[in-house]
Amino acid sequence: MIKTSITVTAKQMQEIEERIFSEGMPVASLMEKAAVFASQKITQLYPLNLYQKVGFIIGCGHNGGDGLVIARELFLQGFQVSLYIPLREKSKDLTKQHLQYAEFLGIASVEFIEDLSTCDFIVDCLFGFGLTRNIEGKLREDIIWLNQQSIPVVSIDIPSGIHTDTGNVLGIAVKAVYTLCLGLWKVGLFLSSAVEYTGSLHLIEIGIPESLLMGEGIRNDDDEREEKNPPLYPPNSEERKREKNQTENVNYSFHCQYVSETNPRIITKEDVKNCLPLPRHVNTHKYKQGNLLLICGSNQYAGAALLAGYGAKCGGSGMITFAVPHGLKKTLISHFPWALVIGLPVKEEGTIISLRNLDLNKYDAIAFGMGIGREVSAYQEQTLAPILNSEVPLIIDADGLNILAEGRYWQTIKQRKSPTILTPHIGEFKRLFPQLNLSENSLEVLKMASKMTNTTILLKGAKTLVSEKGINNWIVNLGTPALARGGSGDVLSGFLGAVIAQTNFNIFPVSKVVATCGWLHQQGGILAAQNHTEMGVDGVTLSEYINKAVVKTLGD
Ligand SMILES: NC(=O)C1=CN([C@@H]2O[C@H](COP(=O)(O)OP(=O)(O)OC[C@H]3O[C@@H](n4cnc5c(N)ncnc54)[C@H](O)[C@@H]3O)[C@@H](O)[C@H]2O)[C@@H](O)CC1
Ligand SMILES: [K+]
């Protein structure tokens, strides 16, 4: 269902609702529907037998109107309801009407927010997508007070104070335990500045017709599934490489009158299942299952090469070759007896100084940079330059990104015909693109960066974002702080490399496969933390759980 995966801006949501209203749906009916469904969710989360006293913070717009309908429903079910209505005089007509009826029913209003201090939970209906300017004055004080209480807060549509499009905090914002988003996901909910405010996210289905969201060019999962097992090619055939690896702005997103094709989609479990290189063709062999080259490690950071190897192991590629400092060869072989290990020359400090005469084009994917050390930068002409000139899908991570940040190779990258995937965390992103201000609007900045560099960027953070050339954009709506640990990124790069090596980009857009890997990486972290706590998720454990995440996802 496209409704559960698309994200919208405030303007797009307004336009969609305007259309629904212009086609005959009364505004009050849509509000009633949204709020009644939201009230049902609230009573599931806070059943009356356990939670009797509920407070509402009611704004002047339709978010406040929703709040009054929810308050009415809960009151009629027997909850003790108190309303705090700081902007009463400015209320919109529909909100006023619901207020009048609430008062008729005898629902209590309180004068100060502090009067809600004895509530079992509070419902935040101060502002929704109509918030346009910073929250100031008394309202600001109210939200500061609210955030200091230990009373759980449920935000309706979006935590009041969060910008619907950028996720930025407009002065101050409510910290919710749950956010019940109405109808369609508001994009700001998934952006890093909003993450600590939203709590657990739930989408409330309000019956927005799918026909309004569909349009020409939608590629649905069934199309993809049919094409998933294309004819098998002889190994290393030039024809296969050309077909498989070169993508010319393939755009698999939807075209809809109201939602831009560049709006990010939430990667779903179904997307993930569909993008995995499974099931394997019965007549396959190792060179048809992806030939991955990992160029990684230094004497100082040998562990990064190992962790990339563990990540690659769970990505299932048919052949894995490590190109590492020759001093690491024995260690690598002892961990990965099934892999080929090529020793490369190093300088005294233990960093790779040349790729010797590696035939890079014979691989199906290359992952470069994990633990290579910053000193490798001095040898970039012998290391990074030939890699960028290869005609192979390429993943660049860690110190590989730090070399890129020196800025000499953007032109070469832009001209690459095969996919280039960058996997920075926020600090690396800022070093790569010092001219861009990530905190202003992280999504738009990411889109801009991937567009101007002709790359796919996976931006690591509390929520992972993926943008391919600014066109195909994805949000990974899963995350765990258990992965905030050295080595998690190396595992991801290896895993990505192994999956990318098996992917035919004529069938799946790079961005979707990258988001799939990001999703499984997080899901692996979540499952690992469930069994080992957030303290117990080291890189090796994580890699085991990525495989468990694959098994669980396929079984669900
Ligand atoms: N469009 C619709 O009819 C529907 C909207 N729904 C609800 O309506 C919400 C959007 O309603 P609105 O467009 O009325 O917007 P809001 O309820 O978010 O509030 C907008 C009001 O707040 C005022 N305002 C904005 N920033 C302010 C600030 N910093 N300080 C003080 N006042 C400020 C505006 O002047 C306006 O009066 C959604 O989030 C959702 O909860 C749902 O009921 C479903 C139907
Ligand atoms: K709200």
Side-chain angles (χ1 to χ4, degrees), residues 292-314 320-344 346 350-352 367-373 397-399 486-495 539-540 543:
L292 169 67
L293 176 66
L294 295 158
I295 304 173
C296 51
S298 56
N299 288 0
Q300 196 182 354
Y301 302 114
L306 290 170
L307 290 174
Y310 280 109
K313 182 180 157 185
C314 51
I320 296 180
T321 302
F322 290 89
V324 292
H326 64 78
L328 302 188
K329 226 178 139 175
K330 274 192 186 153
T331 314
L332 267 293
I333 290 169
S334 68
H335 281 261
F336 308 115
W338 35 262
L340 284 174
V341 185
I342 298 170
L344 294 176
V346 291
T351 53
I352 297 167
F368 171 70
M370 300 75 74
I372 56 169
D397 186 29
D399 282 328
S488 304
D490 302 320
V491 174
L492 174 63
S493 303
F495 180 57
V540 178
S543 66

Coordinates of all heavy atoms in Angstrom, one line a residue, residues 292-314 320-344 346 350-352 367-373 397-399 486-495 539-540 543:
L292 N 32.8 -9.8 -5.1 CA 33.1 -8.5 -4.3 C 34.5 -8.4 -4.0 O 35.2 -9.3 -3.5 CB 32.2 -8.6 -3.0 CG 32.5 -7.5 -2.0 CD1 32.1 -6.1 -2.5 CD2 31.8 -7.8 -0.7
L293 N 35.0 -7.1 -4.2 CA 36.4 -6.8 -3.7 C 36.3 -5.8 -2.6 O 35.7 -4.7 -2.7 CB 37.2 -6.2 -4.9 CG 38.6 -5.7 -4.5 CD1 39.5 -6.8 -4.2 CD2 39.2 -4.9 -5.7
L294 N 36.9 -6.1 -1.5 CA 37.0 -5.2 -0.3 C 38.4 -4.7 -0.2 O 39.3 -5.5 0.0 CB 36.6 -5.9 1.0 CG 35.2 -6.5 1.1 CD1 35.1 -7.6 2.1 CD2 34.2 -5.4 1.5
I295 N 38.6 -3.4 -0.4 CA 39.9 -2.8 -0.3 C 39.9 -2.0 1.1 O 39.2 -1.0 1.2 CB 40.2 -1.8 -1.4 CG1 40.1 -2.6 -2.8 CG2 41.6 -1.2 -1.3 CD1 40.2 -1.7 -4.0
C296 N 40.5 -2.6 2.0 CA 40.3 -2.1 3.4 C 41.5 -2.4 4.3 O 42.4 -3.2 3.9 CB 39.0 -2.6 4.0 SG 38.9 -4.4 3.8
G297 N 41.5 -1.8 5.5 CA 42.4 -2.1 6.5 C 43.8 -1.4 6.4 O 44.2 -0.9 5.4
S298 N 44.4 -1.3 7.6 CA 45.8 -0.8 7.7 C 46.3 -1.5 8.9 O 45.6 -2.2 9.6 CB 45.7 0.7 7.9 OG 44.9 1.0 9.0
N299 N 47.6 -1.4 9.1 CA 48.2 -2.1 10.3 C 47.4 -1.6 11.6 O 47.2 -2.3 12.5 CB 49.7 -1.9 10.4 CG 50.4 -2.7 9.4 OD1 49.8 -3.4 8.6 ND2 51.7 -2.6 9.3
Q300 N 47.1 -0.3 11.6 CA 46.5 0.3 12.8 C 45.0 -0.1 12.9 O 44.5 -0.3 14.0 CB 46.6 1.8 12.7 CG 46.3 2.5 14.1 CD 46.4 4.0 14.0 OE1 46.7 4.6 13.0 NE2 46.0 4.6 15.1
Y301 N 44.3 -0.2 11.8 CA 42.9 -0.5 11.8 C 42.6 -1.9 11.1 O 41.8 -1.9 10.2 CB 42.1 0.6 11.2 CG 42.3 1.9 11.8 CD1 42.9 3.0 11.1 CD2 41.9 2.2 13.1 CE1 43.1 4.2 11.7 CE2 42.1 3.4 13.7 CZ 42.7 4.4 13.0 OH 42.9 5.7 13.5
A302 N 43.2 -2.9 11.6 CA 43.0 -4.2 11.0 C 41.6 -4.7 11.3 O 40.9 -5.3 10.5 CB 44.0 -5.2 11.6
G303 N 41.0 -4.3 12.5 CA 39.7 -4.7 12.8 C 38.6 -4.2 11.8 O 37.6 -5.0 11.6
A304 N 38.8 -3.1 11.2 CA 37.8 -2.6 10.3 C 37.7 -3.5 9.1 O 36.6 -3.8 8.6 CB 38.2 -1.2 9.8
A305 N 38.9 -4.1 8.7 CA 38.8 -5.0 7.5 C 38.1 -6.3 7.9 O 37.3 -6.8 7.2 CB 40.3 -5.3 7.1
L306 N 38.3 -6.7 9.2 CA 37.6 -7.9 9.6 C 36.1 -7.7 9.7 O 35.3 -8.5 9.3 CB 38.1 -8.3 11.0 CG 39.6 -8.9 11.1 CD1 40.1 -9.0 12.5 CD2 39.6 -10.2 10.4
L307 N 35.7 -6.5 10.3 CA 34.3 -6.3 10.4 C 33.6 -6.1 9.0 O 32.5 -6.6 8.8 CB 34.1 -5.1 11.3 CG 34.4 -5.3 12.7 CD1 34.3 -4.0 13.6 CD2 33.5 -6.4 13.3
A308 N 34.3 -5.5 8.1 CA 33.8 -5.4 6.7 C 33.6 -6.8 6.2 O 32.6 -7.1 5.5 CB 34.7 -4.6 5.8
G309 N 34.5 -7.7 6.5 CA 34.4 -9.1 6.1 C 33.2 -9.8 6.7 O 32.5 -10.5 6.0
Y310 N 33.0 -9.5 8.0 CA 31.8 -10.1 8.6 C 30.5 -9.6 8.0 O 29.6 -10.4 7.9 CB 31.9 -9.9 10.1 CG 32.8 -10.9 10.9 CD1 34.0 -10.4 11.4 CD2 32.5 -12.2 11.0 CE1 34.9 -11.3 12.0 CE2 33.3 -13.1 11.6 CZ 34.5 -12.7 12.1 OH 35.3 -13.6 12.7
G311 N 30.5 -8.3 7.7 CA 29.4 -7.7 7.1 C 29.1 -8.4 5.7 O 28.0 -8.8 5.3
A312 N 30.2 -8.5 4.9 CA 30.1 -9.1 3.6 C 29.7 -10.6 3.7 O 28.9 -11.0 2.8 CB 31.5 -9.0 2.9
K313 N 30.1 -11.2 4.7 CA 29.8 -12.6 4.9 C 28.2 -12.8 4.9 O 27.7 -13.7 4.3 CB 30.4 -13.1 6.2 CG 30.2 -14.6 6.5 CD 30.9 -14.9 7.8 CE 30.3 -16.1 8.5 NZ 30.8 -16.4 9.8
C314 N 27.6 -11.9 5.6 CA 26.1 -12.1 5.7 C 25.4 -11.5 4.5 O 24.2 -11.6 4.4 CB 25.5 -11.5 7.1 SG 26.0 -9.9 7.5
I320 N 34.3 -13.4 -2.4 CA 34.8 -12.2 -1.8 C 36.3 -12.2 -1.8 O 37.0 -13.2 -1.4 CB 34.3 -12.2 -0.3 CG1 32.8 -12.1 -0.3 CG2 34.9 -11.0 0.4 CD1 32.2 -12.0 1.1
T321 N 36.9 -11.1 -2.2 CA 38.3 -10.9 -2.2 C 38.7 -9.7 -1.4 O 38.0 -8.7 -1.5 CB 38.8 -10.7 -3.7 OG1 38.4 -11.8 -4.5 CG2 40.3 -10.5 -3.7
F322 N 39.6 -9.9 -0.5 CA 40.1 -8.8 0.3 C 41.4 -8.3 -0.3 O 42.3 -9.1 -0.6 CB 40.5 -9.3 1.8 CG 39.3 -9.6 2.6 CD1 38.8 -10.9 2.6 CD2 38.7 -8.6 3.4 CE1 37.7 -11.2 3.4 CE2 37.6 -9.0 4.2 CZ 37.1 -10.2 4.2
A323 N 41.6 -7.0 -0.4 CA 42.9 -6.4 -0.8 C 43.3 -5.6 0.4 O 42.7 -4.6 0.7 CB 42.8 -5.6 -2.1
V324 N 44.3 -6.1 1.1 CA 44.6 -5.5 2.4 C 46.2 -5.4 2.5 O 46.9 -6.0 1.8 CB 44.2 -6.4 3.6 CG1 42.6 -6.4 3.7 CG2 44.7 -7.8 3.5
P325 N 46.7 -4.6 3.5 CA 48.1 -4.5 3.7 C 48.6 -6.0 3.9 O 48.0 -6.8 4.5 CB 48.2 -3.7 5.0 CG 47.0 -2.9 5.0 CD 45.9 -3.7 4.4
H326 N 49.8 -6.2 3.3 CA 50.2 -7.7 3.2 C 50.4 -8.2 4.6 O 50.2 -9.4 4.9 CB 51.4 -7.9 2.4 CG 52.7 -7.2 2.9 ND1 53.4 -7.7 3.9 CD2 53.3 -6.0 2.5 CE1 54.4 -6.9 4.1 NE2 54.3 -5.8 3.3
G327 N 50.7 -7.4 5.6 CA 50.8 -7.9 7.0 C 49.5 -8.4 7.6 O 49.6 -9.1 8.6
L328 N 48.4 -8.1 7.0 CA 47.1 -8.5 7.5 C 46.6 -9.8 6.9 O 45.6 -10.4 7.3 CB 46.0 -7.5 7.3 CG 46.2 -6.1 7.9 CD1 45.0 -5.3 7.8 CD2 46.6 -6.2 9.4
K329 N 47.4 -10.3 5.9 CA 46.9 -11.4 5.1 C 46.5 -12.6 6.0 O 45.4 -13.2 5.9 CB 48.0 -11.8 4.1 CG 47.5 -12.0 2.7 CD 48.6 -12.3 1.8 CE 48.1 -13.5 0.9 NZ 49.1 -13.8 -0.2
K330 N 47.5 -13.0 6.8 CA 47.3 -14.2 7.6 C 46.0 -14.1 8.5 O 45.2 -15.0 8.6 CB 48.5 -14.5 8.5 CG 49.6 -15.3 7.8 CD 50.6 -15.7 8.9 CE 51.8 -16.3 8.1 NZ 53.0 -16.3 8.9
T331 N 45.9 -13.0 9.1 CA 44.7 -12.7 10.0 C 43.4 -12.9 9.2 O 42.5 -13.6 9.7 CB 44.8 -11.3 10.6 OG1 46.1 -11.1 11.1 CG2 43.8 -11.1 11.7
L332 N 43.4 -12.3 8.1 CA 42.2 -12.3 7.3 C 41.8 -13.8 6.9 O 40.7 -14.2 7.0 CB 42.3 -11.4 6.0 CG 41.9 -10.0 6.1 CD1 40.3 -9.9 6.2 CD2 42.5 -9.2 7.2
I333 N 42.9 -14.5 6.5 CA 42.6 -15.9 6.0 C 42.1 -16.7 7.2 O 41.2 -17.5 7.0 CB 43.9 -16.5 5.4 CG1 44.2 -15.8 4.1 CG2 43.7 -18.0 5.2 CD1 45.6 -16.1 3.5
S334 N 42.7 -16.5 8.4 CA 42.2 -17.3 9.5 C 40.8 -17.0 9.9 O 40.0 -17.9 10.3 CB 43.1 -17.0 10.7 OG 42.9 -15.7 11.2
H335 N 40.3 -15.8 9.6 CA 38.9 -15.5 9.9 C 37.9 -15.9 8.7 O 36.8 -16.3 8.9 CB 38.7 -14.0 10.1 CG 39.0 -13.6 11.5 ND1 38.1 -13.4 12.5 CD2 40.3 -13.4 12.0 CE1 38.7 -13.1 13.6 NE2 40.0 -13.0 13.4
F336 N 38.5 -15.8 7.5 CA 37.6 -16.0 6.3 C 38.2 -17.0 5.4 O 38.7 -16.6 4.3 CB 37.3 -14.7 5.6 CG 36.8 -13.6 6.5 CD1 37.6 -12.4 6.7 CD2 35.6 -13.7 7.1 CE1 37.1 -11.4 7.6 CE2 35.1 -12.7 8.0 CZ 35.9 -11.6 8.2
P337 N 38.3 -18.3 5.7 CA 39.0 -19.3 4.9 C 38.4 -19.4 3.5 O 39.1 -19.9 2.6 CB 38.8 -20.6 5.7 CG 37.7 -20.3 6.7 CD 37.7 -18.9 7.0
W338 N 37.2 -19.0 3.3 CA 36.5 -19.1 2.0 C 36.8 -17.9 1.1 O 36.4 -17.8 0.0 CB 35.0 -19.2 2.2 CG 34.5 -18.4 3.4 CD1 34.2 -18.9 4.6 CD2 34.2 -17.0 3.4 NE1 33.8 -17.8 5.5 CE2 33.8 -16.7 4.8 CE3 34.4 -15.9 2.5 CZ2 33.5 -15.4 5.2 CZ3 34.1 -14.6 2.9 CH2 33.6 -14.4 4.2
A339 N 37.6 -16.9 1.6 CA 37.8 -15.7 0.8 C 39.2 -15.8 0.2 O 40.1 -16.5 0.6 CB 37.7 -14.5 1.7
L340 N 39.4 -15.0 -0.9 CA 40.7 -14.7 -1.4 C 41.3 -13.5 -0.7 O 40.6 -12.5 -0.5 CB 40.6 -14.4 -2.9 CG 40.3 -15.6 -3.9 CD1 40.1 -15.0 -5.3 CD2 41.6 -16.5 -3.9
V341 N 42.6 -13.6 -0.4 CA 43.2 -12.4 0.3 C 44.4 -12.0 -0.5 O 45.3 -12.8 -0.7 CB 43.5 -12.7 1.7 CG1 44.0 -11.4 2.4 CG2 42.3 -13.2 2.5
I342 N 44.4 -10.8 -0.9 CA 45.6 -10.2 -1.7 C 46.3 -9.3 -0.8 O 45.7 -8.3 -0.2 CB 45.1 -9.5 -3.0 CG1 44.4 -10.5 -3.9 CG2 46.2 -8.8 -3.7 CD1 43.6 -9.9 -5.1
G343 N 47.6 -9.5 -0.6 CA 48.4 -8.5 0.2 C 48.9 -7.4 -0.7 O 49.4 -7.6 -1.8
L344 N 48.8 -6.2 -0.2 CA 49.2 -5.0 -0.9 C 50.4 -4.3 -0.2 O 50.5 -4.5 1.0 CB 48.0 -4.0 -1.0 CG 46.8 -4.4 -1.8 CD1 45.7 -3.3 -1.7 CD2 47.2 -4.6 -3.2
V346 N 52.7 -1.7 1.6 CA 52.4 -0.6 2.6 C 53.6 0.3 2.8 O 54.7 -0.1 2.6 CB 51.9 -1.2 3.9 CG1 50.6 -1.9 3.9 CG2 53.0 -2.1 4.5
G350 N 52.0 1.6 7.8 CA 51.1 0.5 7.7 C 49.9 0.7 6.8 O 48.9 0.0 6.9
T351 N 50.0 1.8 5.9 CA 48.8 2.0 5.1 C 49.2 1.6 3.6 O 50.3 1.7 3.2 CB 48.5 3.5 5.1 OG1 49.6 4.3 4.8 CG2 48.0 4.0 6.4
I352 N 48.1 1.2 3.0 CA 48.2 0.8 1.6 C 48.8 1.9 0.7 O 48.3 3.0 0.8 CB 46.8 0.4 1.0 CG1 46.3 -0.8 1.8 CG2 46.9 0.1 -0.5 CD1 44.8 -1.1 1.6
A367 N 34.2 -2.3 -2.4 CA 33.9 -1.4 -1.2 C 35.3 -1.0 -0.7 O 36.2 -1.8 -0.6 CB 33.2 -2.2 -0.1
F368 N 35.4 0.3 -0.6 CA 36.8 0.9 -0.3 C 36.7 1.8 0.9 O 35.8 2.6 1.0 CB 37.2 1.7 -1.6 CG 38.4 2.5 -1.3 CD1 39.7 1.9 -1.2 CD2 38.4 3.9 -1.3 CE1 40.8 2.7 -1.0 CE2 39.5 4.7 -1.1 CZ 40.7 4.1 -0.9
G369 N 37.7 1.7 1.7 CA 38.0 2.8 2.7 C 37.9 2.4 4.2 O 38.4 3.1 5.0
M370 N 37.3 1.2 4.5 CA 37.1 0.9 5.9 C 38.5 0.6 6.5 O 39.2 -0.3 6.2 CB 36.3 -0.4 6.0 CG 34.9 -0.2 5.4 SD 34.9 -0.2 3.6 CE 35.1 -1.9 3.2
G371 N 38.9 1.4 7.4 CA 40.1 1.3 8.2 C 41.4 1.4 7.4 O 42.5 1.0 7.8
I372 N 41.3 2.1 6.3 CA 42.6 2.3 5.5 C 43.5 3.3 6.1 O 44.7 3.4 5.8 CB 42.3 2.7 4.0 CG1 41.5 3.9 3.9 CG2 41.7 1.5 3.3 CD1 41.4 4.5 2.5
G373 N 43.0 4.1 7.0 CA 43.9 5.1 7.7 C 44.0 6.4 6.9 O 43.9 6.4 5.6
D397 N 33.6 4.4 2.0 CA 33.2 4.6 3.4 C 34.5 5.1 4.1 O 35.6 5.1 3.6 CB 32.8 3.3 4.0 CG 32.2 3.4 5.4 OD1 31.7 4.5 5.7 OD2 32.4 2.5 6.2
A398 N 34.2 5.6 5.3 CA 35.3 5.9 6.3 C 36.4 6.8 5.7 O 36.1 7.9 5.2 CB 35.8 4.6 6.9
D399 N 37.7 6.3 5.8 CA 38.8 7.1 5.4 C 38.7 7.3 3.8 O 39.4 8.2 3.3 CB 40.1 6.6 5.8 CG 40.3 6.9 7.3 OD1 39.9 8.0 7.7 OD2 40.9 6.1 8.0
G486 N 31.9 1.9 17.5 CA 33.0 1.7 16.4 C 32.8 0.4 15.8 O 32.7 -0.6 16.4
G487 N 32.8 0.4 14.4 CA 32.8 -0.9 13.7 C 31.4 -1.2 13.1 O 31.4 -1.9 12.1
S488 N 30.3 -0.6 13.6 CA 29.0 -0.8 13.0 C 29.0 -0.4 11.5 O 28.4 -1.1 10.7 CB 27.9 0.0 13.7 OG 27.9 -0.3 15.0
G489 N 29.7 0.7 11.2 CA 29.7 1.2 9.8 C 30.5 0.3 8.9 O 30.2 0.1 7.7
D490 N 31.6 -0.3 9.4 CA 32.4 -1.3 8.6 C 31.6 -2.5 8.2 O 31.6 -3.0 7.1 CB 33.6 -1.7 9.4 CG 34.5 -0.5 9.9 OD1 34.6 0.4 9.1 OD2 35.0 -0.6 11.0
V491 N 30.7 -2.9 9.2 CA 29.9 -4.1 8.9 C 28.9 -3.7 7.8 O 28.7 -4.5 6.8 CB 29.1 -4.5 10.2 CG1 28.1 -5.6 9.9 CG2 30.1 -5.0 11.3
L492 N 28.3 -2.5 7.9 CA 27.4 -2.1 6.9 C 28.0 -2.0 5.5 O 27.4 -2.5 4.5 CB 26.8 -0.7 7.2 CG 25.9 -0.1 6.2 CD1 24.6 -0.9 5.9 CD2 25.5 1.3 6.5
S493 N 29.2 -1.5 5.4 CA 29.9 -1.3 4.1 C 30.1 -2.7 3.5 O 29.9 -2.9 2.3 CB 31.2 -0.6 4.2 OG 31.0 0.6 4.8
G494 N 30.6 -3.6 4.3 CA 30.8 -5.0 3.8 C 29.5 -5.6 3.3 O 29.4 -6.2 2.2
F495 N 28.5 -5.5 4.1 CA 27.2 -6.0 3.8 C 26.6 -5.4 2.5 O 26.2 -6.1 1.6 CB 26.2 -5.8 5.0 CG 24.8 -6.3 4.8 CD1 24.6 -7.6 4.5 CD2 23.7 -5.5 4.9 CE1 23.3 -8.1 4.3 CE2 22.5 -5.9 4.7 CZ 22.2 -7.3 4.4
G539 N 30.5 -5.3 16.6 CA 30.3 -5.6 15.2 C 30.1 -7.0 14.8 O 29.4 -7.3 13.9
V540 N 30.9 -7.9 15.5 CA 30.7 -9.3 15.1 C 29.3 -9.8 15.4 O 28.7 -10.5 14.6 CB 31.8 -10.2 15.8 CG1 31.7 -11.6 15.5 CG2 33.2 -9.7 15.4
S543 N 26.9 -8.6 12.9 CA 26.8 -9.3 11.6 C 26.0 -10.6 11.8 O 25.3 -10.9 10.9 CB 28.2 -9.5 11.1 OG 28.9 -10.4 11.9

